[in-house]
Amino acid sequence: MDHTESVRTPASWVVVGLDNGGTCNNATVLDATGRFLVDQLVENPSLVQEGPESAVEQLAAAFTDILTMTSTPLTLVRAVGLDTPGPASADGVISSKGATNFSQVSWHGFDIRGALEQRIGLPVIYNNDANAAALYAHHRHFRPYAMGRSSVAAIVGTGLGGGVVESGRVVSGAAGMAGELGHVQIPLQGVLEDDQPMPQCNCGFEGDVESVASLTGLKKNLLPYWLARFPDHPLAQEPIDKAAKLLRSYGEKEDPLALAVFGQQAKAIGKLFTIAANFTDPDAYFLGGGVVEAAPKFRQWCLNTVREHTQLRREQIEVATFALVPDLDMAGARGAAVAALDRVQSM
Ligand SMILES: [Zn+2]
């Protein structure tokens, strides 16, 4: 056991982190000394497809269950951190146009943060899921120095999420839309092949980061082009959804088609990080998403390719670090809890 762990005194209070996803909620508890009381994934069904009422009840159940599981009295809880997929306002109001996970009309413009706060009678601090994961990556990496450092995180999933952290806190912006890194348009010289069509994003932009570095971009833009160039490839026979899912296993085997596709995604993220370098000049650049679960050698190749295509000045190279986002499946709940802890400490 880590010596510092064994001599810690019991904390006088805690915060709870709740990560709301399309199928499950994930819960954790963080004590006032910054120690997580849960080291595994603790989930319950999120029921978001049944509408806000069921979903808020499920979040309340996740809250009660995690306290029971960790033998934490309710009276010790000072606040709850909540994260959900976006788009939502900085204060947890789901977009008036709805969202992928919140398609029912009853979700449009729904204040999920306020509803949970009312239901459990404790302050609820909101972040979108990508920002929560970025915040956790930051605090996990910098630990006691987190409040004095800055970072940017790009997380590759269905879309390209992420976040910008300054002095240990998420930059949320006036409308809560800061850190929407997927929709930053990037220079595509050196990323696309000469005859490759301009990638289109669902947001209406073309040539933004998400149009290349996301599962959606992979299916819509990259794979159709590359499979046409490798007509004899086994994936050329598969439906595009299946081909996209299988691609990582080919990358791990250093398959040329897979490396060409993932190489383009890594270059696109490198271009994004180059913009970040000139914009906020962060201490750390984090890469997250499915790649974190890939075989170590392939994972490292992805991170190295991102790094090679991030143009830093010599002074920046000396201080900047590149790392993978750890504990991805727990990162949302943990980041939400970190935000709640910070809020209580600064009250
Ligand atoms: Zn976009």
Side-chain angles (χ1 to χ4, degrees):
M1 189 190 284
D2 181 347
H3 181 67
T4 55
E5 293 277 322
S6 63
V7 297
R8 269 191 180 133
T9 51
S12 52
W13 56 273
V14 303
V15 295
V16 168
L18 299 175
D19 169 60
N20 169 266
T23 51
C24 290
N25 296 315
N26 174 222
T28 195
V29 181
L30 176 62
D31 77 17
T33 68
R35 188 175 59 116
F36 286 100
L37 306 188
V38 180
D39 59 5
Q40 61 193 344
L41 205 55
V42 181
E43 295 182 320
N44 75 335
S46 67
L47 303 186
V48 288
Q49 302 303 336
E50 293 185 14
E53 208 169 303
S54 305
V56 170
E57 277 312 307
Q58 288 301 100
L59 283 167
F63 171 74
T64 308
D65 292 349
I66 201 70
L67 295 184
T68 306
M69 200 193 117
T70 54
S71 308
T72 306
L74 176 62
T75 50
L76 292 192
V77 185
R78 293 273 183 94
V80 174
L82 168 69
D83 76 282
T84 76
S89 76
D91 209 19
V93 178
I94 305 299
S95 164
S96 57
K97 289 198 279 186
T100 309
N101 280 16
F102 305 109
S103 51
Q104 279 195 10
V105 179
S106 51
W107 276 116
H108 297 191
F110 184 78
D111 177 7
I112 190 167
R113 188 206 65 80
L116 183 64
E117 187 168 274
Q118 197 165 40
R119 172 65 180 76
I120 60 179
L122 282 162
V124 175
I125 290 89
Y126 180 83
N127 277 282
N128 73 45
D129 56 359
N131 281 346
L135 188 63
Y136 176 60
H138 180 92
H139 281 260
R140 162 93 192 252
H141 186 83
F142 289 114
R143 294 187 186 261
Y145 308 104
M147 300 312 285
R149 299 283 195 277
S150 60
S151 65
V152 57
I155 299 165
V156 185
T158 310
L160 188 287
V164 178
V165 175
E166 271 303 316
S167 301
R169 294 191 175 124
V170 167
V171 175
S172 53
M177 287 167 190
E180 289 291 339
L181 304 179
H183 309 297
V184 173
Q185 287 171 302
I186 48 169
L188 291 166
Q189 303 94 306
V191 176
L192 298 185
E193 298 290 301
D194 290 342
D195 60 346
Q196 196 166 354
M198 179 60 80
Q200 306 293 320
C201 182
N202 288 342
C203 75
F205 285 169
E206 52 181 28
D208 63 11
V209 189
E210 182 168 306
S211 71
V212 177
S214 68
L215 187 62
T216 309
L218 185 67
K219 288 194 267 196
K220 194 169 167 174
N221 301 310
L222 302 195
L223 263 183
Y225 170 79
W226 284 101
L227 287 173
R229 280 189 53 170
F230 287 76
D232 299 328
H233 196 280
L235 289 182
Q237 314 308 320
E238 303 287 353
I240 199 85
D241 281 0
K242 192 172 174 199
K245 284 205 180 95
L246 289 172
L247 194 67
R248 196 204 303 160
S249 65
Y250 281 86
E252 290 169 342
K253 290 181 279 191
E254 297 180 27
D255 172 77
L257 168 113
L259 293 189
V261 174
F262 288 120
Q264 288 196 315
Q265 295 196 323
K267 286 174 192 171
I269 294 171
K271 297 280 187 188
L272 171 70
F273 284 171
T274 303
I275 294 172
N278 287 297
F279 209 92
T280 61
D281 183 23
D283 293 286
Y285 300 81
F286 297 117
L287 175 65
V291 65
V292 176
E293 287 140 39
K297 193 178 166 206
F298 177 61
R299 198 164 68 192
Q300 194 59 43
W301 175 84
C302 290
L303 187 64
N304 291 348
T305 309
V306 169
R307 187 175 198 152
E308 276 162 30
H309 290 86
T310 305
Q311 284 174 268
L312 301 180
R313 296 190 177 83
R314 192 192 306 160
E315 294 86 340
Q316 292 175 312
I317 292 169
E318 284 168 12
V319 294
T321 50
F322 285 70
L324 296 164
V325 174
D327 308 331
L328 195 74
D329 47 6
M330 290 192 287
R334 288 187 160 195
V338 167
L341 185 76
D342 177 40
R343 186 70 65 89
V344 173
Q345 282 171 337
S346 54
M347 271 198 268

